[in-house]
Amino acid sequence: MKPNASGQALLESVLVIAVTGVLLIGLIPPLLQSLQQRYHQGQHLQLQLQQAPLRSAFNLPSLDRDWLSEVSGLNVTDGNTSVTTDAAYPTATVLHPIWSILSVQRDFSLPTTNRSLAGWSATEDTPPTLFFSALSDDWSPHTQAALQTRPQALTSTQMLQTIGFHHIQELMAWLPFAREFAPNNLRFGHVDIDVVPEKKLCQQRDCS
């Protein structure tokens, strides 16, 4: 390689390194600031999402962003935050026709409007660029009575009990050939959570 060619290559290398260094010095701080801002936005949305079901149940507004930023230390000063509750997810869409029929029953309590959405967008007119969603009610029974009433409400014959069909059964049971139709014999929608007789349960300490 000629001396002038090696000198040109060295000069080009120094120039590339210098330009790359300037670009890195200029781009890293804004990039780091953008990542930190996105992290704060994500944490802010998680806090909003956590309280969304309770606030929706009592018709309360969303958490104030300025107050939340002051208390939690999250720096979220710009953009638009939206928190909503809906039933626009596939399972709720499929179950809606069935649920609309079963909801006439007295003890039916499996709501499909249990999805909470929290999103952040630059302005109110732009779609959210960061959002989270969560189901607030997984339909798990919270009381001992719900272990019986929830599956009972899913049985189609429970509707007969709701409309008072047991009174007709009492009249039918007066007939000699229809005694098995008595309400204590033919129990529509009956669910027994203790199907194993108590005397059959093992009472010993070391039984297996």
Side-chain angles (χ1 to χ4, degrees), residues 101-102 104-105 153 155-165:
I101 298 175
L102 295 177
V104 300
Q105 301 189 71
T155 60
S156 57
T157 54
Q158 172 64 13
M159 300 183 67
L160 296 176
Q161 291 293 103
T162 305
I163 63 177
F165 188 75

Side-chain angles (χ1 to χ4, degrees), residues 5-23:
S6 60
Q8 181 180 356
L10 180 61
L11 180 61
E12 291 176 354
S13 301
V14 172
L15 183 61
V16 169
I17 294 175
V19 172
T20 303
V22 171
L23 291 177

Side-chain angles (χ1 to χ4, degrees), residues 23-41 75:
L23 291 177
L24 290 177
I25 293 175
L27 292 178
I28 287 180
L31 179 61
L32 181 60
Q33 183 179 2
S34 177
L35 292 176
Q36 289 178 344
Q37 183 69 14
R38 192 169 183 85
Y39 167 78
H40 288 175
Q41 293 165 358
N75 184 18

Side-chain angles (χ1 to χ4, degrees), residues 76-150:
V76 184
T77 57
D78 57 350
N80 179 65
T81 302
S82 61
V83 181
T84 57
T85 302
D86 63 10
Y89 57 97
T91 303
T93 303
V94 173
L95 292 178
H96 178 72
I98 304 174
W99 259 224
S100 60
I101 298 175
L102 295 177
S103 60
V104 300
Q105 301 189 71
R106 180 177 54 191
D107 297 323
F108 187 80
S109 59
L110 299 176
T112 55
T113 55
N114 58 344
R115 186 180 73 160
S116 300
L117 294 170
W120 180 90
S121 58
T123 62
E124 295 183 0
D125 300 329
T126 57
T129 57
L130 180 65
F131 62 90
F132 297 93
S133 65
L135 294 179
S136 57
D137 187 356
D138 58 357
W139 299 345
S140 298
H142 301 291
T143 61
Q144 183 74 14
L147 291 174
Q148 180 176 354
T149 57
R150 285 201 167 185

